[in-house]
Amino acid sequence: MQRLSYTQTIEYLFQQLPMFQRVGAAAYKKDLSNITALCDLLSQPHLKYPVIHLAGTNGKGSTAHILAAILQAHGLKIGLHTSPHYQDFRERIKVNGDYAPEQFVIDFVASYKDDWQAIQPSFFELSVAMAFQYFAEQQVDIAIIETGLGGELDSTNIVQPILSIITNISYDHQQFLGDSLPEIASAKAGIIKAKTPVIIGEKQAEVAGVFERKAKAENAPMTYANQHYRVVLKDQNLHHSVYKVFKNERLQYDDLEVNLIGNYQQYNLQTALQALDWIPKNLCEIKEDKIRLGLENLKTLTTFIGRWQVLSEQPLVLGDSAHNEAGIQAAMNYLRQFSFEQLHIVLGFAKDKDISKCLAFFPKEAIYYFTAADIPRKLDAVALQAAANKFGLFGSAYESVSLALKTAKEQSQPNDLIYVGGSIFVLGEVI
């Protein structure tokens, strides 16, 4: 049989395997049996290198990339698994910032697709197994593995990490994780392993007890990053932020330049710096000059996209992947720090989001371009427009993201600002 091309291979995966980001709940599996069977088939690749495992509602992707950049700057070979992807499936599987080769994906699918008939994995389960296998073949020094959603029942949760990280807890994916913050925290706390150190990014009163009880039950050393590290923004432009970093209230780093913008990145930086303190010294002896080198060149080192990304200038077009209540609130607060004459917002959501809680944070003075990404999970643009009108948000509905952005650009002046967001997939179509 003729081997599929890369494009055909990815299309085969989309057609054969349910993908949560495209179809929603139908792709969600509530146990680890499939990923266990896949890794049995592959001879347990996830046990062949040290792993740092990350969960949390927001910030885990940024924290993962911050850690990867710093560790790469120290000369380590770092595997990085994140999800979802914006344009290319291989964004999920990177080694030192380089995507897994198309040929690897083609060969992996061709070699094992007959064996999947009995397992019937989801798209995410297969992508996780593929990442595990690629990192083993590449003999990475450390793999940084981000959960998809949740923690306890997430497909990544068969790893045996050297360190677990939970960034924070907010409302997202309640249909799977629970309707209260403690319920969501309990799902995320499932990544805490016996005698394995765990870092919680932010101490939140409503959920702290959940993590503390789980850590005690697992005899896992635990700390809160924000009880030791405090990061203060000094300056920023469109591409870099400059911070003062205090550790236990003593100045640790001054003028720390980070190749990221966004007001929430200070919390992710705190979490990552705390994680560096807990990485075994036999794996990496952390040096300040390498921290600075990694952070200053973060996007180049890790191929980081999608967070406050500058898509074009004059007018300035910014894309961000905030897509839940806490993320949207932080994004809209940050957006107010930019100077512009008129704000234009290209907006789309997935239909299974509680958008009423998100829409409340959007500014009424903006002109809106309601749209929908080309996925089955999309919320119809006209339905979004009607919901937004109830919050005093007005604009027209557009049948495609590209048309919405094109119109926004045509209606903008050079000193205006266009924000593209609401859904990772809306942003993915314009990156």
Side-chain angles (χ1 to χ4, degrees):
M1 186 180 78
Q2 185 178 10
R3 183 154 292 198
L4 301 177
S5 69
Y6 175 70
T7 302
Q8 290 169 329
T9 298
I10 298 302
E11 191 57 38
Y12 165 81
L13 295 179
F14 283 155
Q15 291 174 352
Q16 298 296 315
L17 309 175
M19 180 185 178
F20 173 76
Q21 278 75 25
R22 288 168 63 88
V23 303
Y28 183 64
K29 301 294 179 68
K30 292 190 175 182
D31 63 64
L32 300 179
S33 59
N34 282 359
I35 189 65
T36 300
L38 287 170
C39 287
D40 286 346
L41 181 66
L42 299 170
S43 302
Q44 315 305 331
H46 60 296
L47 302 179
K48 295 178 180 176
Y49 38 78
V51 167
I52 298 173
H53 197 199
L54 289 98
T57 303
N58 292 308
K60 56 185 182 291
S62 294
T63 303
H65 281 83
I66 291 169
L67 278 173
I70 293 171
L71 293 173
Q72 286 172 227
H74 281 81
L76 298 186
K77 192 173 190 179
I78 302 299
L80 181 58
H81 171 269
T82 57
S83 63
H85 62 270
Y86 292 92
Q87 289 181 301
D88 190 328
F89 168 80
R90 299 174 302 143
E91 294 166 30
R92 297 168 178 257
I93 308 172
K94 297 187 285 191
V95 172
N96 282 8
D98 293 330
Y99 297 170
E102 291 183 355
Q103 195 61 51
F104 168 79
V105 177
I106 293 168
D107 292 344
F108 184 91
V109 172
S111 298
Y112 295 104
K113 69 178 184 179
D114 290 342
D115 297 299
W116 302 338
Q117 301 308 314
I119 300 172
Q120 294 190 315
S122 70
F123 184 97
F124 183 70
E125 288 165 337
L126 186 72
S127 70
V128 169
M130 195 183 301
F132 289 161
Q133 178 70 10
Y134 185 64
F135 297 156
E137 290 183 11
Q138 291 293 301
Q139 299 180 327
V140 298
D141 295 311
I142 298 174
I144 300 173
I145 306 293
E146 177 195 43
T147 59
L149 62 89
E152 181 179 8
L153 300 178
D154 189 82
S155 301
T156 63
N157 202 32
I158 63 169
V159 298
Q160 297 297 319
I162 58 168
L163 178 64
S164 302
I165 300 171
I166 302 173
T167 56
N168 54 55
I169 301 299
S170 182
Y171 289 103
D172 202 6
H173 303 301
Q174 291 98 306
Q175 68 270 46
F176 308 116
L177 306 181
D179 292 323
S180 70
L181 292 183
E183 285 179 298
I184 295 170
S186 181
K188 310 279 187 185
I191 73 165
I192 298 174
K193 302 290 195 304
K195 299 181 180 179
T196 301
V198 57
I199 292 164
I200 311 298
E202 302 168 43
K203 185 167 185 177
Q204 299 167 265
E206 195 170 347
V207 298
V210 174
F211 296 132
E212 290 162 10
R213 287 189 293 273
K214 177 65 172 177
K216 184 177 180 181
E218 298 291 347
N219 197 21
M222 190 188 93
T223 194
Y224 294 100
N226 69 341
Q227 290 187 338
H228 299 281
Y229 279 92
R230 183 168 64 89
V231 172
V232 180
L233 181 67
K234 288 183 69 175
D235 193 18
Q236 65 179 345
N237 55 39
L238 286 177
H239 303 285
H240 286 86
S241 302
V242 181
Y243 297 103
K244 268 190 173 182
V245 177
F246 296 87
K247 182 179 180 181
N248 298 322
E249 291 307 317
R250 290 188 175 186
L251 183 63
Q252 182 84 351
Y253 309 115
D254 199 3
D255 294 325
L256 188 65
E257 189 172 339
V258 183
N259 185 204
L260 291 174
I261 62 171
N263 55 348
Y264 51 81
Q265 293 297 358
Q266 66 193 74
Y267 304 108
N268 299 329
L269 182 58
Q270 288 171 182
T271 304
L273 292 172
Q274 181 68 69
L276 292 176
D277 288 345
W278 285 38
I279 290 175
K281 287 185 168 49
N282 65 319
L283 284 178
C284 187
E285 189 80 40
I286 302 298
K287 306 289 187 183
E288 179 178 343
D289 63 327
K290 301 302 184 186
I291 291 176
R292 291 182 179 276
L293 178 66
L295 292 175
E296 187 176 347
N297 299 284
L298 184 145
K299 290 186 179 180
T300 302
L301 287 169
T302 64
T303 320
F304 182 84
I305 59 175
R307 277 36 164 226
W308 288 102
Q309 185 164 342
V310 177
L311 300 170
S312 62
E313 299 186 37
Q314 290 191 319
L316 177 62
V317 181
L318 294 172
D320 188 54
S321 56
H323 59 278
N324 55 43
E325 182 181 349
I328 293 289
Q329 182 179 19
M332 292 304 103
N333 287 338
Y334 184 60
L335 195 56
R336 293 183 179 93
Q337 298 178 25
F338 290 85
S339 59
F340 48 80
E341 290 187 4
Q342 175 65 55
L343 177 62
H344 306 258
I345 295 182
V346 177
L347 189 64
F349 283 97
K351 64 184 176 184
D352 51 12
K353 294 288 179 183
D354 184 357
I355 62 166
S356 62
K357 291 182 177 179
C358 297
L359 291 173
F361 296 113
F362 282 91
K364 293 180 174 61
E365 66 272 17
I367 299 170
Y368 285 85
Y369 305 79
F370 302 108
T371 187
D374 186 20
I375 58 170
R377 242 179 101 210
K378 68 185 177 186
L379 175 63
D380 178 75
V382 174
L384 173 57
Q385 180 187 33
N389 288 171
K390 296 176 183 178
F391 288 84
L393 312 177
F394 296 101
S396 300
Y398 297 87
E399 61 185 22
S400 71
V401 175
S402 60
L403 179 59
L405 180 58
K406 178 175 179 287
T407 307
K409 287 181 175 180
E410 289 172 350
Q411 296 183 359
S412 296
Q413 299 300 313
N415 292 328
D416 288 356
L417 188 153
I418 302 173
Y419 174 89
V420 182
S423 163
I424 288 171
F425 303 99
V426 168
L427 181 55
E429 289 189 19
V430 301
I431 286 178

